[in-house]
Amino acid sequence: MNNNYYAILMAGGVGSRFWPVSTQDFPKQFHDMLGTGETLIQKTFQRLSKLIPQENIFILTNAVYKDLVFRQLPGLTDRQVLLEPAMRNTAPCILYAALKIQKENPDAVMIVAPSDHWIEDEAKFTQNVQQAFDFCETNDALMTLGIQPTFPNTGFGYIEYEQSSNKAIKPVHQFREKPDYETAKSFIAQGNFLWNAGIFMWSAKSVVKAFQFHQPQLFELFEKGINLYNTDSEDLFIAENYGKSENISVDYAIMEVSENVYVLPAEFDWNDLGTWGSLYDKLEKDQHQNAVVNARTLTEDATGNMIRTKADKIVVIDGLKDYIIVDKDEVLLIFPKSKEQDIKQTLQRVKDKFGKNYG
């Protein structure tokens, strides 16, 4: 294990498209979404710990999830859990973590990874991260892992890399916003576009320098606390200052405006597990193409459904095709897979109608 290797594991999101399982009080990263016996955050932590010392894996999360984090990852120390007192997107929390890590180890290289992604070939993942770390240790680089697109997905941003490059790690030409279907098809046809998975690698030195140059106000705000990081006064400084930071993503803050951005096309299977449909795609199916988590099922003329309940619940389904069926506590969701992007809005309508926070 290399003691200069660090990870920042992002675990503050709500995951409202996985309602009713994922709620504001108990979001998807803390659930066993795949029925494997491990929650998503536990799987991500274990995956990262194959390359990175466990004590060097930091969790970035909202203050309200502190107890959930320690309950699911009981080996953590207070030093490893960075609590956001306000929701300010990804740039402020990444800068805070990078300054804290750089103070502890000026030679640190780090990966920033979401806590709720599904990666099948973990050996390939580890190999790709090692490749990126080797590059970041010897170059002033901001790196990302890009995913080879398998179809013209309109739900992801894309990374366009320099087509003329014949090296494994490629200079990024530009980041592209989520496209419409025809644009996504043209991206894939060109052959030098990758899905943006939001997985970043860099040295502490390089990322701090990028923030200092491109986001001077944000940098100044967090740099003021440098003498307090890794001391008993850190929490008070963050509580008093974090809310003053701009609400901005790391993509907009530094990645899209920097010159020294590189991408490594990933060699592992990846799924962002952003919706019930994406979970359905990754799960094993029965002979009728139904994906089932926890339930015991009796189906008739039922195909292509995503079914999830508490353990061992008996579910009888007749005549449903391509539906999401999720039973949790007071809520039963029966919803067409084709409309899964509307679940977030449906949750708001449920709150408005029933006057109770079901999400």
Side-chain angles (χ1 to χ4, degrees):
M1 287 278 174
N2 188 326
N3 289 324
N4 291 338
Y5 290 177
Y6 285 76
I8 299 170
L9 203 163
M10 309 290 284
V14 176
S16 52
R17 287 186 178 85
F18 270 113
W19 183 77
V21 168
S22 180
T23 64
Q24 197 160 347
D25 294 336
F26 206 119
K28 66 173 179 175
Q29 59 268 29
F30 301 110
H31 286 277
D32 176 10
M33 297 301 299
L34 297 146
T36 62
E38 282 187 306
T39 65
L40 294 178
I41 193 172
Q42 287 170 334
K43 285 187 76 67
T44 306
F45 187 90
Q46 292 305 322
R47 184 188 313 128
L48 291 170
S49 67
K50 291 176 180 176
L51 181 65
I52 296 158
Q54 288 198 1
E55 64 273 16
N56 287 358
I57 302 176
F58 288 77
I59 313 295
L60 269 172
T61 191
N62 194 284
V64 298
Y65 304 139
K66 178 182 177 180
D67 290 345
L68 274 172
V69 168
F70 279 108
R71 194 153 70 239
Q72 296 204 358
L73 299 169
L76 294 176
T77 62
D78 287 338
R79 160 187 159 276
Q80 292 170 264
V81 181
L82 280 60
L83 302 172
E84 305 161 72
M87 296 184 85
R88 288 294 183 272
N89 217 311
T90 53
C93 58
I94 287 172
L95 174 57
Y96 163 38
L99 284 167
K100 182 178 165 71
I101 290 168
Q102 185 185 39
K103 184 183 178 186
E104 178 177 294
N105 183 348
D107 297 321
V109 291
M110 66 188 79
I111 178 172
V112 177
S115 60
D116 52 5
H117 288 182
W118 169 251
I119 290 169
E120 201 143 349
D121 190 340
E122 297 194 341
K124 279 286 185 196
F125 170 80
T126 302
Q127 187 179 317
N128 285 166
V129 175
Q130 180 70 68
Q131 231 176 317
F133 277 0
D134 291 344
F135 188 80
C136 292
E137 281 185 315
T138 54
N139 294 274
D140 177 19
L142 305 178
M143 274 202 67
T144 182
L145 287 179
I147 307 300
Q148 298 283 2
T150 52
F151 66 98
N153 194 314
T154 58
F156 298 147
Y158 284 71
I159 301 164
E160 181 183 358
Y161 61 81
E162 299 290 350
Q163 202 151 21
S164 58
S165 174
N166 57 6
K167 295 183 178 177
I169 293 172
K170 303 176 185 302
V172 169
H173 178 59
Q174 62 180 326
F175 289 84
R176 304 290 289 266
E177 296 297 316
K178 295 174 183 177
D180 59 32
Y181 184 71
E182 290 304 318
T183 306
K185 280 205 301 187
S186 75
F187 286 173
I188 290 176
Q190 288 177 63
N192 62 322
F193 282 80
L194 303 165
W195 288 336
N196 184 357
I199 303 172
F200 307 106
M201 285 82 44
W202 40 54
S203 67
K205 195 182 304 178
S206 289
V207 71
V208 167
K209 188 167 83 171
F211 273 108
Q212 189 173 7
F213 184 76
H214 293 291
Q215 299 293 329
Q217 282 184 299
L218 195 63
F219 174 79
E220 188 182 330
L221 175 67
F222 283 96
E223 203 269 340
K224 279 191 307 185
I226 198 72
N227 293 327
L228 306 176
Y229 295 149
N230 308 328
T231 75
D232 293 340
S233 303
E234 177 181 332
D235 291 347
L236 181 59
F237 171 81
I238 291 299
E240 291 177 348
N241 289 279
Y242 197 92
K244 300 173 189 174
S245 59
E246 184 183 355
N247 189 332
I248 184 171
S249 73
V250 74
D251 301 75
Y252 283 122
I254 60 170
M255 297 301 284
E256 295 184 12
V257 292
S258 296
E259 302 284 325
N260 57 332
V261 182
Y262 296 84
V263 64
L264 174 63
E267 299 174 85
F268 50 83
D269 290 334
W270 170 89
N271 191 302
D272 78 327
L273 292 186
T275 63
W276 285 111
S278 63
L279 179 62
Y280 171 87
D281 290 341
K282 294 312 297 180
L283 292 169
E284 288 186 17
K285 319 293 190 296
D286 65 15
Q287 66 269 35
H288 305 295
Q289 293 302 298
N290 296 307
V292 181
V293 177
N294 297 334
R296 292 183 286 165
T297 59
L298 177 62
T299 60
E300 185 75 32
D301 190 25
T303 60
N305 298 300
M306 172 70 236
I307 305 160
R308 190 188 196 280
T309 68
K310 66 182 182 181
D312 294 328
K313 185 155 192 171
I314 295 172
V315 178
V316 181
I317 299 173
D318 191 335
L320 277 185
K321 181 180 181 183
D322 295 333
Y323 266 74
I324 298 160
I325 302 120
V326 181
D327 182 41
K328 181 173 181 285
D329 302 331
E330 297 173 274
V331 178
L332 171 63
L333 177 75
I334 304 171
F335 210 82
K337 273 200 307 191
S338 61
K339 294 175 65 179
E340 65 173 6
Q341 294 294 339
D342 297 341
I343 287 177
K344 194 173 183 177
Q345 290 77 17
T346 301
L347 167 58
Q348 188 56 54
R349 300 208 323 266
V350 167
K351 291 176 181 177
D352 293 343
K353 177 168 184 176
F354 296 105
K356 181 180 174 180
N357 186 5
Y358 286 101

